[in-house]
Amino acid sequence: MQTLSATLVAAQKSRSLVPYVKVETWDETARVKILSWSRWYTGTEADSPHAAWVSGDGSLIRARATGGKLYVQRVANPTAESDYSAWIELAVGIHASSPVALCGVGSIVALFYVDAAGTGVKYRASGENGASWTDEVAAGVAGGTVSQLAAVSRDASNLVVFLSVGGTVSSLTYADGWGAVTAWTNVVKTVTGLAAFYGGDYNLVVTGTDTTDSCHVWTTIFGDNYSYAVGDWGPLVDVVTASAGTGVEYHQPAVGFPDVYRLWYLEKYTGTVAYSRPYWSHGIRGAADYASNVWREPVPFDLSSTRGLSMAYSSPSAEGQVFVTASSGVWRAALSSTVHDLTGDVLELNLHEGERAGRAVVTLRNDDGRYNAGGSFAEGLGKGWQLEVSLGARTTEGNETGTARLFWIQSWRRSCEARRAVIVLEAVDAWGLLELWRARRHLSWTAGSMTRFQLLQAVVGFVGLELASIGSLSSEMSADQPAFAIAPGESGATAVRRLLDQVPEVLFWRQATGYVKSVSASDSASYAYGTDHVIYRGEAMEEAYRVNRVQVFGAGTYGEEQTWDEIAGVGDRLTQVVDLNLNTADRVNGRAAAVKRKWELAATPTMLVTPVSCGVELYDVVTVTESRLGLSTAKRRVRGYTVRYARSSTQRGPERRGLWEMDLVLGGA
């Protein structure tokens, strides 16, 4: 249950309560800003290796290499009206396919490229935000032709250049002088792109192929004593994979942390109706560090390109903007989220949260056309935007609410009749986002690679959601590492349900985070209905268990659970589970107990209609006292609720009392 102030708890129990519903829209998905890109420049430059950087004074610096020449551009105070077509020729006689990389700290900027031989890494520096550049300086020499470059500054005295020769990535470190070119410890066949930024360690994205010719977008880390020791390499972790022979390749990534972890890469398809376009992804808002980050399902960007995009932003992002660039293009997006308060226009609310689905339907006044095109509030709505609904009441301290409940707008419709004109927003909860996600390809995890908690974390991460836990978890959730697969076209919701069916834990959502927790008959009640909190009406059922016997068949093992008194009365109501991941007696018996426990939670269904409890959450344990139902401090567990609010048409202001009630669906505790 949400934590509410004492004054709000008192108000929601009062028979003279005045409800308060706060509704806001945010241009975010799962607490992450939806970037709205504006193209500021469309040029005629050929697609070629390029890089971008925002220096300490906010200047946008771009570099490109083409025809054996190196060009650079500095645009101070970049705007949509700035000139992005003027380039300065900085070097000639460089390698015909030289990659380029930019990095910096404050007013210091360094530009790296490859000499005519293809093996020497050269650089030029600027101490004036790119306004002028030093002569060429040698950084190091590789053992073969350098195909990819990335550069990262930790501070003004320490930086690392990452370079690739064939399938080997090497580091070239500067700390009061250049060190040796040192190969990494990972093994791949080819490297088709490198990108890096600093965040405690040197965090990288690598594109290329493995030894079986499958194509990958990987993340990895070059340690600086945060997640890994100085100079140690982390493993390659897949973001996206394409099997050999599919015609899909990945190239030219970009990565950084303008507000959350964000990455770009180029996807090429060489089959019939070939294409080559950038894709983007971002991490979850609550990611603790790069090593534990989970990436959203990548999304295509409307551009045909052979060299991908570079990303540049100030650090920290004081200007609140981020750029992506190509040799012939500059795009800009604001990083600050926009919030619109719709509270004053709310006429009705229907909010539902269930164990496997949730929704919010909000009816707003539109009598003056404020939500029509060109209306004063038209910019407050966006498809996919976050809808935040907070339930509350007027208290002695003013209007107070519980924590906002998050939904995501899928549609709106305008309607009118007689003197009434409204707009109705329909939004889904986290389960709805998961239901709308479909696997693009076959996804599989081998036994021994991830726990069920980590698998759940990966699946909910596909739609940008976070996963956390409350209390201790079962070994089935936190220790077992089963084989698992998601078929093409399968929804994220189905995949999550299949994983939850294998464990005793339950899952509920609090804002953009899913929480898994164990439920026990010994859990204490957190709220009481029927004493201070009135019950309008209700039903209490006693029914036979729909399942009273469970059989589980594993790999050469068998386990079962049963409820003998139920079997004696209604006979054997059997469910069977076959899971070859279960290879010990403890594991099959644990699964049987988990299945039995979940059927017990569905028993003794009780339905109540009460004034809204502003802090209610799924799986709260509550007590019910209602003599007419034969219940006295009976423990029950919340399995769903629906909130209904309507402002009276004869009263003014959304805070005036109208319809304000909640349907509670309760099960066994």
Side-chain angles (χ1 to χ4, degrees):
M1 178 165 283
Q2 295 181 7
T3 300
L4 304 179
S5 70
T7 49
L8 180 53
V9 172
Q12 72 181 11
K13 296 177 179 179
S14 171
R15 294 181 182 270
S16 60
L17 74 89
V18 178
Y20 176 72
V21 175
K22 183 177 181 180
V23 175
E24 295 177 331
T25 58
W26 294 69
D27 55 349
E28 296 181 346
T29 294
R31 293 290 191 193
V32 175
K33 164 74 174 178
I34 299 171
L35 297 183
S36 179
W37 294 100
S38 297
R39 187 163 187 171
W40 280 4
Y41 174 64
T42 302
T44 59
E45 296 90 340
D47 228 357
S48 64
H50 62 278
W53 187 258
V54 174
S55 63
D57 69 347
S59 297
L60 176 61
I61 300 167
R62 297 198 295 150
R64 63 187 179 97
T66 182
K69 297 180 179 181
L70 178 67
Y71 297 89
V72 69
Q73 174 189 104
R74 174 180 181 261
V75 177
N77 303 312
T79 68
E81 289 72 37
S82 299
D83 182 6
Y84 299 95
S85 64
W87 296 88
I88 297 172
E89 185 180 282
L90 195 61
V92 296
I94 68 173
H95 193 268
S97 301
S98 173
V100 292
L102 281 164
C103 68
V105 173
S107 62
I108 301 172
V109 185
L111 170 57
F112 294 86
Y113 52 97
V114 178
D115 66 9
T119 57
V121 178
K122 308 291 186 178
Y123 75 99
R124 294 170 184 256
S126 172
E128 300 174 330
N129 298 291
S132 63
W133 298 87
T134 65
D135 292 337
E136 180 177 278
V137 180
V141 179
T145 301
V146 176
S147 62
Q148 308 295 333
L149 280 177
V152 187
S153 298
R154 186 184 75 184
D155 51 44
S157 303
N158 295 270
L159 67 84
V160 179
V161 176
F162 299 98
L163 56 100
S164 68
V165 175
T168 300
V169 174
S170 297
S171 60
L172 178 57
T173 301
Y174 181 90
D176 298 324
W178 289 101
V181 175
T182 306
W184 68 352
T185 52
N186 291 306
V187 177
V188 303
K189 186 173 182 179
T190 64
V191 174
T192 59
L194 290 173
F197 73 101
Y198 189 81
D201 293 313
Y202 297 92
N203 302 314
L204 287 85
V205 173
V206 181
T207 56
T209 61
D210 63 19
T211 54
T212 69
D213 290 323
S214 292
C215 297
H216 299 261
V217 178
W218 292 291
T219 61
T220 189
I221 293 173
F222 182 65
D224 196 32
N225 221 24
Y226 183 70
S227 294
Y228 291 89
V230 174
D232 285 356
W233 282 93
L236 295 170
V237 179
D238 269 314
V239 178
V240 183
T241 302
S243 299
T246 59
V248 175
E249 303 172 0
Y250 304 117
H251 299 260
Q252 308 304 328
V255 68
F257 192 92
D259 56 340
V260 294
Y261 297 116
R262 294 187 183 270
L263 73 80
W264 296 75
Y265 62 87
L266 188 72
E267 179 175 296
K268 293 183 179 180
Y269 176 61
T270 58
T272 305
V273 193
Y275 63 81
S276 181
R277 68 170 64 98
Y279 275 66
W280 59 265
S281 178
H282 62 70
I284 58 176
R285 171 63 71 180
D289 52 48
Y290 193 68
S292 61
N293 182 54
V294 177
W295 295 98
R296 173 183 168 160
E297 178 77 39
V299 179
F301 188 71
D302 185 15
L303 177 70
S304 179
S305 169
T306 60
R307 289 288 181 174
L309 295 169
S310 296
M311 180 169 60
Y313 53 92
S314 56
S315 182
S317 300
E319 289 77 20
Q321 60 185 351
V322 59
F323 298 93
V324 291
T325 72
S327 294
S328 60
V330 174
W331 293 258
R332 181 264 186 191
L335 285 170
S336 56
S337 298
T338 302
V339 58
H340 299 270
D341 191 342
L342 312 184
T343 302
D345 294 340
V346 177
L347 299 177
E348 298 174 9
L349 167 69
N350 187 290
L351 183 154
H352 172 73
E353 286 284 359
E355 292 184 285
R356 294 294 186 267
R359 68 179 187 280
V361 180
V362 181
T363 302
L364 305 170
R365 59 168 290 200
N366 196 34
D367 50 283
D368 57 359
R370 62 183 60 195
Y371 292 101
N372 295 344
S376 57
F377 283 73
E379 294 184 354
L381 304 180
K383 295 174 185 175
W385 282 19
Q386 197 162 278
L387 180 73
E388 300 196 2
V389 180
S390 304
L391 306 175
R394 179 179 294 173
T395 76
T396 55
E397 300 297 322
N399 290 328
E400 295 186 59
T401 69
T403 303
R405 299 160 200 267
L406 270 53
F407 302 85
W408 289 274
I409 298 172
Q410 301 301 304
S411 67
W412 55 80
R413 65 181 187 274
R414 299 176 181 88
S415 66
C416 61
E417 59 179 16
R419 299 179 181 179
R420 175 181 165 97
V422 299
I423 186 167
V424 181
L425 312 183
E426 298 198 11
V428 299
D429 71 345
W431 279 110
L433 292 183
L434 287 166
E435 185 61 44
L436 291 167
W437 178 87
R438 292 292 188 274
R440 276 69 166 164
R441 61 192 70 84
H442 178 79
L443 301 174
S444 63
W445 294 264
T446 58
S449 60
M450 296 178 75
T451 66
R452 288 188 179 88
F453 182 87
Q454 291 169 328
L455 290 168
L456 283 168
Q457 195 173 45
V459 176
V460 303
F462 289 148
V463 294
L465 298 167
E466 185 182 5
L467 189 72
S469 62
I470 296 176
S472 59
L473 300 178
S474 67
S475 60
E476 291 88 353
M477 176 67 84
S478 61
D480 285 356
Q481 297 180 332
F484 187 71
I486 302 176
E490 183 178 350
S491 76
T494 298
V496 169
R497 284 193 290 266
R498 288 198 291 116
L499 285 165
L500 290 175
D501 286 343
Q502 301 172 14
V503 296
E505 285 82 3
V506 295
L507 169 67
F508 73 98
W509 300 96
R510 185 178 290 162
Q511 298 202 324
T513 302
Y515 289 90
V516 291
K517 69 174 184 179
S518 298
V519 292
S520 169
S522 63
D523 290 343
S524 300
S526 58
Y527 201 73
Y529 294 95
T531 51
D532 294 338
H533 198 114
V534 66
I535 296 173
Y536 292 148
R537 53 192 179 274
E539 292 182 356
M541 295 178 62
E542 293 186 27
E543 62 179 2
Y545 288 3
R546 296 187 181 184
V547 171
N548 56 33
R549 185 177 174 217
V550 180
Q551 291 181 324
V552 178
F553 300 89
T557 59
Y558 169 78
E560 66 176 0
E561 286 280 343
Q562 55 276 315
T563 306
W564 289 115
D565 56 344
E566 288 279 327
I567 293 173
V570 300
D572 185 1
R573 296 180 176 180
L574 176 68
T575 189
Q576 295 177 317
V577 176
V578 178
D579 188 344
L580 298 183
N581 286 306
L582 306 176
N583 54 13
T584 68
D586 286 345
R587 296 180 71 184
V588 292
N589 288 329
R591 175 68 62 81
V595 174
K596 176 174 177 284
R597 175 69 178 138
K598 289 188 175 180
W599 280 107
E600 288 174 345
L601 291 177
T604 61
T606 302
M607 282 70 74
L608 304 178
V609 180
T610 75
V612 174
S613 175
C614 300
V616 65
E617 290 181 318
L618 286 182
Y619 304 113
D620 288 345
V621 176
V622 300
T623 61
V624 180
T625 298
E626 174 52 78
S627 59
R628 294 171 295 176
L629 299 178
L631 300 175
S632 177
T633 60
K635 285 178 67 174
R636 295 290 187 268
R637 194 176 293 272
V638 176
R639 303 195 67 198
Y641 60 89
T642 300
V643 172
R644 293 188 299 276
Y645 165 77
R647 187 205 305 185
S648 171
S649 61
T650 62
Q651 297 172 335
R652 297 179 180 178
E655 74 282 0
R656 298 291 183 177
R657 183 176 180 180
L659 177 64
W660 183 244
E661 63 183 26
M662 176 174 66
D663 295 342
L664 274 173
V665 178
L666 308 176

